[in-house]
Amino acid sequence: MKNKKASSFHEFARNTSDAWDIGDDEDEDFSSSSSSLQTLNSKVAKATAAQVLENHSKLRVKPERVQSALGNVPTNCKVIKSSSEAQLSRTSEEACVRTPLQKQQSLPLRPVIPLVARISDQNASGAPPMTVREKTRLEKFRQLLSSHNTDLDELRKCSWPGVPREVRPVTWRLLSGYLPANMERRKLTLQRKREEYFGFIQQYYDSRNEEHHQDTYRQIHIDIPRTNPLIPLFQQPLVQEIFERILFIWAIRHPASGYVQGINDLVTPFFVVFLSEYVEEDVENFDVTNLSQDVLRSIEADSFWCMSKLLDGIQDNYTFAQPGIQKKVKALEELVSRIDEQVHNHFRKYEVEYLQFAFRWMNNLLMRELPLRCTIRLWDTYQSEPEGFSHFHLYVCAAFLIKWRKEILDEEDFQVSPGGDSLGGGNRSGWDSSIDAVDHHPKAGSESSQSQDLCLKGLLMLLQNLPTIHWGNEEIGLLLAEAYRLKYMFADAPNHYRR
């Protein structure tokens, strides 16, 4: 009986442990215990080892890739010469710290992407990258960018499905119109524009303390700490000073609009992308004091000019009464009424105004609705599209809204009990102050009125807190594909677009 139990235990152990975990100490135990060797079921051991070898052959990284990556891992692990080295170091580190294969196989769970996700091209689905395809795309970008005169049309076409991290900084400078297509002119252009920006600093920045500029500077000073408050990078005093200068100089040079809340968010993608040119991918925790003054000045100036180019195309969003946003929200309402009448009627039934949720979508270009990594991926496409930030953004917002149609329509099940307690619809405690400010019709008293008000609040709470924290490239790619389909159908068909 004892031998039989021992044999069963060894069979169980061999079925559940990883063959690669067997150490030298276990070998000694086996050599010193002849009785254990006699009770070992060799068939189970061979079958388990074969299974582990098969799994390992499927999951392992190609040896030559690991070897090349290990040769480029920086010893300091912070500041590096180029982003390509960061990509290689990340690959090698991931290969070195893989969890046991058996655990990977037995726990096929969706990986937890942190609230403040890395600025990397990681799919939320956790699918392994197509290394051959990515290498081919990267090589294509490098050929375009290194040519004497970069073909901008071809660069836009390649950038639409996303720009590789290694070449994103220079690609964004070109697509935004900040850099010329001619290779020989780029260095001089960068030098001249950076000097011009810091000339503005010397000329205008001291005026922030003057009476007629105090309101502008005070509002900027209040808004900057609120910019991505959960990301340590943006809470560093040196970074906040950079943002203050960028926003104040832009406001002084654009008196028609001046500074408007929301513009502060638009600096962050450019700052992160240009910062990633000098540091490895864990940008959100990087201490910028480790960078030289010249590097910081370059990042600041480039962020200013690229943000300025973006705002040139949507400045009517920020002039008095923000007419650009008003028009876009109205256009979104018309578009949704055509593509999904059920959702549109649901909003009308519960008296939801599009302006109540879509104003922020237009004012902040969906930056408050998406993780920063998704915004950067989205902007790859926006900069590849004609009028991407102004025109194509409308179709992205429509596709984004319809993406949540099930959740939106489910809100009609939100009811009120006779005692006034909510039934169904999930946890709705702690209303947002902006939702409480919504004007309601004076129908107070009836249960139906209370139910309608609660459903209105539930809808607005949902639309202002959409669950996108785990989104990655895959979800953004699907969103952009749907937006392109809507644009193709409606942009050049006014009879289908208007009532």
Side-chain angles (χ1 to χ4, degrees), residues 244-261:
E244 281 185 3
R245 289 193 292 268
I246 290 173
L247 294 170
F248 184 77
I249 297 302
W250 188 88
I252 293 298
R253 297 189 71 246
H254 296 82
S257 62
Y259 173 75
V260 176
Q261 284 180 294

Side-chain angles (χ1 to χ4, degrees), residues 48 78 227 478:
T48 305
K78 272 299 176 186
T227 305
L478 292 172

Side-chain angles (χ1 to χ4, degrees), residues 113-363:
I113 295 181
L115 181 65
V116 181
R118 288 185 169 187
I119 314 304
S120 61
D121 298 331
Q122 178 183 10
N123 287 329
S125 62
M130 298 176 63
T131 56
V132 175
R133 177 177 175 271
E134 289 302 318
K135 285 181 179 178
T136 303
R137 290 192 73 240
L138 180 58
E139 185 59 31
K140 173 68 172 176
F141 271 93
R142 284 176 170 157
Q143 288 177 3
L144 281 169
L145 297 172
S146 62
S147 60
H148 182 69
N149 282 295
T150 299
D151 186 341
L152 294 181
D153 290 335
E154 186 65 24
L155 184 63
R156 291 187 187 97
K157 189 185 300 182
C158 291
S159 300
W160 206 101
V163 181
R165 180 183 184 275
E166 296 86 346
V167 293
R168 185 175 274 134
V170 66
T171 301
W172 276 28
R173 291 187 188 105
L174 284 163
L175 293 179
S176 66
Y178 174 44
L179 274 188
N182 185 277
M183 170 73 80
E184 295 176 355
R185 294 174 51 207
R186 290 178 194 169
K187 186 176 180 179
L188 289 176
T189 299
L190 280 177
Q191 183 180 346
R192 176 174 56 83
K193 297 298 284 185
R194 289 167 179 171
E195 289 175 356
E196 185 179 355
Y197 168 71
F198 283 100
F200 294 151
I201 295 291
Q202 292 179 352
Q203 184 177 356
Y204 297 118
Y205 195 57
D206 286 341
S207 69
R208 67 189 184 281
N209 297 316
E210 296 176 5
E211 186 176 355
H212 58 290
H213 289 152
Q214 279 185 356
D215 289 342
T216 297
Y217 181 72
R218 186 184 301 112
Q219 189 60 58
I220 292 172
H221 192 72
I222 291 170
D223 287 348
I224 284 178
R226 301 172 181 172
T227 305
N228 294 298
L230 298 177
I231 300 182
L233 172 68
F234 299 116
Q235 301 311 307
Q236 296 178 40
L238 188 55
V239 173
Q240 293 186 355
E241 290 172 12
I242 289 172
F243 276 44
E244 281 185 3
R245 289 193 292 268
I246 290 173
L247 294 170
F248 184 77
I249 297 302
W250 188 88
I252 293 298
R253 297 189 71 246
H254 296 82
S257 62
Y259 173 75
V260 176
Q261 284 180 294
I263 294 179
N264 54 306
D265 286 333
L266 306 183
V267 186
T268 56
F270 292 114
F271 184 82
V272 165
V273 167
F274 297 140
L275 177 62
S276 68
E277 198 170 13
Y278 301 97
V279 297
E280 58 184 355
E281 71 180 63
D282 191 16
V283 173
E284 65 274 11
N285 293 307
F286 180 75
D287 183 359
V288 297
T289 59
N290 291 327
L291 293 175
S292 69
Q293 188 65 26
D294 287 343
V295 166
L296 286 173
R297 286 168 63 91
S298 298
I299 294 171
E300 179 177 348
D302 293 355
S303 299
F304 169 81
W305 286 115
C306 288
M307 186 198 74
S308 298
K309 292 286 187 180
L310 185 162
L311 288 170
D312 286 347
I314 57 172
Q315 193 170 351
D316 61 343
N317 284 8
Y318 305 104
T319 54
F320 179 73
Q322 299 183 265
I325 291 179
Q326 303 277 351
K327 291 176 184 176
K328 289 182 178 71
V329 171
K330 185 62 178 175
L332 177 65
E333 181 177 356
E334 292 285 347
L335 183 57
V336 173
S337 71
R338 292 303 182 188
I339 62 179
D340 199 322
E341 191 173 4
Q342 189 177 3
V343 168
H344 179 70
N345 289 337
H346 190 69
F347 286 156
R348 295 183 65 182
K349 177 182 177 181
Y350 293 105
E351 300 176 352
V352 175
E353 298 291 340
Y354 283 75
L355 202 62
Q356 291 171 313
F357 63 88
F359 179 88
R360 189 171 77 178
W361 295 9
M362 302 299 177
N363 190 61

